[in-house]
Amino acid sequence: MQHDKLERMQYLVDLLREASKAYYAQDREIMSNREYDARYEELQALEQETGVIFTDSPTVKVGYEAVEELPKERHESAQLSLDKTKDRVELQAWLQGHQGVLSWKLDGLTIVLTYQQGKLTKAVTRGNGEIGEVVTNNARTFRNIPLSIPYKGQLVLRGEAVITYSDFQRINSQIEDVESRYKNPRNLCSGSVRQLNNEITAGRGVRFYAFSLESGEDMDADNSRMGQLAFLAGQGFQVVEHELVTEETILEAVERFEGKIPTYDVPSDGLVLTYDDIAYGQSLGRTAKFPRHSIAFKWADELRETTLKEVEWSASRTGLINPVAIFEPVELEGTTVSRASVHNISILRGLKLGIGDRITVYKANMIIPQIAENLTSSDTLEIPSVCPVCGSPTQIRQVNEVQSLYCTNEACAAKRIKSFTLFVSRDAMNIEGLSEATLEKLVDRGFIREYVDLFHLDRYKEEILEMEGFGEKSYQKLQDGIDMARKTTLPRVVYALGIANIGVANAKMLCRHFNYDLAQLEGADVETLSAIEGVGEVIATAFVAYMHDQGNLERLHRLTQELEIEVPRIQEGSQTLAGMSFVITGSLAHFASRSDLKELIEQKGGKVTGSVTGKTTCLINNDITSTSSKNKKARELEVPILSEEDFLERYDIRQS
């Protein structure tokens, strides 16, 4: 059967991918070369037999490409949202004697896919329902979308792009700065699908679950939603988990779905009920906002009443002080809950909180504890006028109509601990053996007050050896890590400083622009920095403010005296593109991404910008005859348009 063959194919894809990862990345073998070849040939044969090729199959290689913006496209039919209910009896009555299909309401990003002649030709986000963004190149990197299917007519289907909880946790675990971690899988998925560089999308593990067939010709199961889902599954798509229900069976089915929530790895925020009879559903028409063929069921929040005991104020590296409600423990969705974030001053004031108030709490999406309502509304809670960590004055600041509380003391211990955590992280100074808990102990004991102190911890060897968790071996490992960190690069140092909005990529870009000269970086002004492609006024202002602070400069100079900062060697005569400006557009053949070509140009002294001007040396575009806006602009300004190969040949560039 087709279903069994597709399951076997997915098993082989996963097995071969794991074998390749073990062999190439982990220096170990989980199968012999002969066995690998046999499984590979079996997969190839099944792909030919079924007409299905998955995006993550080792038999295909998806090229990576960066674009400057995502094109917009109007949907052929409006992609409407659904009416909602939280009442199970209302959901049951909605069927009105008809059969329905009950499925998960997945919490990700809705995508519309188009296939022609068995090939994926287009992927468009739902957008505002009328116009979406074209993300075809990104969709080709989703874990489980088939690039080829056996059906050769035009096929349009709708589904949800998601990132599983396990992949979400994996990605967040690789980000050492806690404050920089992603907040939830849905936001991460939305950002991943809409990336301008699909190599980033590929690393996020996005998956696609089909949930409806929009159009397709000459299919036997056209009038049955169940039949259409079975057809899509037969084409190689993973379809959303679903079952056929009636008024008599739907309540039990809802309970079955509900029981799976604690272990279900795919984010969802409810269920969807659709009439199985498609013609009947369509005959019902639509309201101004919703179609009448489907309805969403949102889980009724399990509310518990409790008493607010206190509000804890938690300070961060940026100075933001977050309110956290502490209440009498209650049982919610099978776990004991006693605290919930209140997020900011605006929400806190809206709840009119006071110690001793009776409040109701729930779990948003059955996961995150939240305050639903304040039954007392005493509004007696005092917002701290001083920081709970350092005792310095606080300040309420408003950004986009949201008020938040900040500590005004730049030397606040909480800020220092968080900043030290970033400083020692992998992408910064990469000092092993210094967890946030250990750093907190070192700060509390006065061993470290600024970054340079980390390189003089040997002064406190005896005291550190007496700290819990430390012995001669762990102490020596820490010292070895510190000694290794002394030899570093300027981008690592700049990122480690924790300047607002200066991430790893921005740090590299700034250092490269100023020829890895710290003095030039320190003296740069806002106007100069803002003119750098990709910087902008916000980043420039924050950077200049940091570098023009005398205390920051003194601390930075004390730090650099302890470091051996490597400067990339620029070979004599290698700056062959100095003073030239280039624009790159379209797909590339000789480079994995535009970033790689950009880096090569910059290494040779050239500059890459985003738009064609009279100062542009040439536009690099493999599609010379394109009528794109950049090509038009280049022709108007008489700027040469060169293909990749012509560019490499004209400027005598040899790839390493």
Coordinates of all heavy atoms in Angstrom, one line a residue, residues 482-516:
I482 N 40.1 30.4 31.5 CA 40.4 31.8 31.5 C 41.6 32.1 30.7 O 41.6 33.1 29.9 CB 40.5 32.3 32.9 CG1 39.2 32.3 33.6 CG2 41.1 33.7 33.0 CD1 39.3 32.5 35.1
D483 N 42.6 31.3 30.8 CA 43.9 31.5 30.0 C 43.6 31.4 28.5 O 44.2 32.1 27.7 CB 44.9 30.5 30.5 CG 45.5 30.8 31.9 OD1 45.3 32.0 32.3 OD2 46.0 29.9 32.5
M484 N 42.8 30.4 28.2 CA 42.5 30.2 26.7 C 41.7 31.4 26.2 O 41.9 31.8 25.0 CB 41.6 28.9 26.5 CG 42.4 27.6 26.7 SD 41.4 26.2 26.5 CE 41.0 26.3 24.8
A485 N 40.9 32.0 27.0 CA 40.1 33.1 26.6 C 40.9 34.4 26.4 O 40.4 35.3 25.7 CB 39.0 33.4 27.6
R486 N 42.1 34.5 26.9 CA 42.9 35.6 26.7 C 43.2 35.9 25.2 O 43.4 37.0 24.8 CB 44.2 35.5 27.5 CG 44.0 35.6 29.0 CD 45.4 35.5 29.7 NE 45.2 35.4 31.2 CZ 45.1 36.5 31.9 NH1 45.2 37.7 31.4 NH2 45.0 36.3 33.2
K487 N 43.3 34.8 24.5 CA 43.6 34.9 23.0 C 42.3 34.9 22.3 O 41.6 33.9 22.3 CB 44.5 33.7 22.6 CG 45.0 33.9 21.2 CD 46.0 32.8 20.8 CE 46.6 33.0 19.4 NZ 47.6 32.0 19.1
T488 N 41.9 36.0 21.8 CA 40.5 36.1 21.2 C 40.5 37.0 20.0 O 41.6 37.4 19.5 CB 39.6 36.7 22.3 OG1 38.3 36.6 21.8 CG2 39.9 38.1 22.7
T489 N 39.3 37.4 19.6 CA 39.2 38.3 18.4 C 38.4 39.6 18.8 O 37.6 39.5 19.8 CB 38.5 37.6 17.3 OG1 37.1 37.3 17.7 CG2 39.2 36.3 16.8
L490 N 38.5 40.6 18.1 CA 37.8 41.8 18.4 C 36.3 41.7 18.3 O 35.6 42.2 19.2 CB 38.3 43.0 17.5 CG 37.8 44.4 17.9 CD1 38.2 44.7 19.4 CD2 38.3 45.4 17.0
P491 N 35.7 41.0 17.3 CA 34.3 40.8 17.3 C 33.8 40.1 18.6 O 32.7 40.5 19.1 CB 34.0 40.0 16.1 CG 35.2 40.3 15.2 CD 36.3 40.5 16.1
R492 N 34.5 39.1 19.1 CA 34.1 38.5 20.3 C 34.1 39.5 21.5 O 33.1 39.4 22.3 CB 35.0 37.3 20.6 CG 34.8 36.0 19.8 CD 35.7 34.9 20.3 NE 35.5 33.7 19.7 CZ 34.6 32.8 20.1 NH1 33.9 33.1 21.2 NH2 34.4 31.7 19.5
V493 N 35.1 40.3 21.5 CA 35.2 41.3 22.6 C 34.0 42.3 22.5 O 33.3 42.6 23.5 CB 36.5 42.1 22.6 CG1 36.5 43.2 23.6 CG2 37.7 41.1 22.8
V494 N 33.7 42.8 21.3 CA 32.6 43.8 21.2 C 31.3 43.1 21.5 O 30.5 43.8 22.2 CB 32.6 44.3 19.7 CG1 31.4 45.1 19.4 CG2 33.9 45.1 19.4
Y495 N 31.0 41.9 21.1 CA 29.8 41.2 21.5 C 29.7 41.0 23.0 O 28.6 41.2 23.6 CB 29.7 39.9 20.7 CG 28.5 39.1 21.2 CD1 27.2 39.5 21.1 CD2 28.7 37.8 21.8 CE1 26.1 38.7 21.5 CE2 27.7 37.0 22.2 CZ 26.4 37.5 22.1 OH 25.3 36.7 22.5
A496 N 30.8 40.6 23.6 CA 30.9 40.3 25.0 C 30.5 41.5 25.9 O 30.1 41.4 27.0 CB 32.2 39.8 25.4
L497 N 30.7 42.7 25.3 CA 30.5 43.9 26.1 C 29.0 44.1 26.5 O 28.6 44.9 27.4 CB 31.0 45.2 25.4 CG 32.5 45.2 25.2 CD1 32.9 46.5 24.4 CD2 33.2 45.2 26.5
G498 N 28.1 43.4 25.7 CA 26.7 43.5 26.0 C 26.0 44.8 25.6 O 25.0 45.2 26.2
I499 N 26.5 45.5 24.6 CA 26.0 46.7 24.1 C 24.6 46.5 23.5 O 24.4 45.5 22.8 CB 26.9 47.4 23.1 CG1 28.3 47.6 23.7 CG2 26.3 48.8 22.7 CD1 29.3 48.1 22.7
A500 N 23.6 47.3 23.8 CA 22.2 47.1 23.3 C 22.2 46.9 21.8 O 22.8 47.7 21.1 CB 21.4 48.2 23.8
N501 N 21.5 45.9 21.3 CA 21.3 45.6 19.9 C 22.6 45.1 19.2 O 22.5 45.0 17.9 CB 20.7 46.8 19.2 CG 19.4 47.3 19.8 OD1 18.5 46.5 20.0 ND2 19.3 48.6 20.2
I502 N 23.7 44.9 19.9 CA 24.9 44.5 19.2 C 25.0 43.0 19.4 O 25.5 42.5 20.4 CB 26.2 45.2 19.7 CG1 26.0 46.7 19.5 CG2 27.4 44.7 18.9 CD1 25.9 47.2 18.1
G503 N 24.5 42.2 18.4 CA 24.7 40.7 18.5 C 25.9 40.3 17.8 O 26.8 41.1 17.4
V504 N 26.1 39.0 17.6 CA 27.3 38.4 17.0 C 27.5 39.0 15.6 O 28.6 39.4 15.3 CB 27.2 36.9 17.0 CG1 28.4 36.3 16.3 CG2 27.1 36.3 18.4
A505 N 26.5 39.0 14.8 CA 26.6 39.4 13.4 C 27.0 40.9 13.3 O 27.9 41.3 12.5 CB 25.4 39.1 12.6
N506 N 26.3 41.7 14.1 CA 26.6 43.2 14.1 C 28.0 43.5 14.6 O 28.7 44.4 14.1 CB 25.6 43.9 15.0 CG 24.3 44.1 14.3 OD1 24.2 44.0 13.1 ND2 23.2 44.2 15.1
A507 N 28.5 42.7 15.6 CA 29.8 42.9 16.1 C 30.9 42.6 15.0 O 31.8 43.4 14.8 CB 30.1 42.0 17.3
K508 N 30.7 41.5 14.3 CA 31.6 41.2 13.2 C 31.6 42.3 12.1 O 32.6 42.6 11.6 CB 31.2 39.8 12.6 CG 31.5 38.6 13.5 CD 31.0 37.3 12.8 CE 31.3 36.1 13.6 NZ 30.8 34.9 13.0
M509 N 30.4 42.7 11.8 CA 30.2 43.7 10.7 C 30.9 45.0 11.1 O 31.7 45.6 10.2 CB 28.8 44.0 10.4 CG 28.4 45.0 9.4 SD 26.7 45.1 9.1 CE 26.1 45.5 10.7
L510 N 30.8 45.5 12.3 CA 31.4 46.7 12.7 C 32.9 46.6 12.7 O 33.6 47.5 12.3 CB 30.9 47.1 14.1 CG 29.4 47.6 14.2 CD1 29.0 47.7 15.6 CD2 29.2 48.9 13.5
C511 N 33.4 45.5 13.3 CA 34.9 45.3 13.3 C 35.5 45.3 11.9 O 36.5 45.9 11.7 CB 35.2 44.1 14.1 SG 34.8 44.2 15.9
R512 N 34.8 44.6 11.0 CA 35.3 44.5 9.7 C 35.3 45.9 9.0 O 36.3 46.2 8.3 CB 34.4 43.5 8.9 CG 35.0 43.2 7.5 CD 34.3 41.9 6.9 NE 32.9 42.0 7.0 CZ 32.1 41.1 7.4 NH1 32.6 39.9 7.9 NH2 30.8 41.2 7.5
H513 N 34.2 46.6 9.2 CA 34.2 48.0 8.6 C 35.3 48.9 9.1 O 35.8 49.7 8.3 CB 32.8 48.6 9.0 CG 32.6 49.9 8.3 ND1 32.2 50.1 7.0 CD2 32.8 51.2 8.8 CE1 32.1 51.4 6.7 NE2 32.5 52.1 7.8
F514 N 35.7 48.8 10.4 CA 36.7 49.6 10.9 C 38.1 48.9 11.0 O 38.9 49.3 11.8 CB 36.3 50.1 12.3 CG 35.2 51.1 12.3 CD1 33.9 50.7 12.6 CD2 35.4 52.4 11.9 CE1 32.9 51.7 12.5 CE2 34.4 53.4 11.8 CZ 33.1 53.0 12.1
N515 N 38.2 47.9 10.1 CA 39.5 47.3 9.9 C 40.1 46.7 11.2 O 41.3 46.7 11.4 CB 40.6 48.2 9.3 CG 40.1 48.7 7.9 OD1 39.7 48.0 7.1 ND2 40.2 50.1 7.7
Y516 N 39.2 46.2 12.1 CA 39.5 45.6 13.3 C 40.4 46.5 14.2 O 41.3 46.0 14.9 CB 40.2 44.2 13.0 CG 39.3 43.3 12.3 CD1 39.4 43.2 10.9 CD2 38.4 42.4 12.9 CE1 38.6 42.4 10.1 CE2 37.6 41.6 12.2 CZ 37.7 41.6 10.8 OH 36.8 40.8 10.1

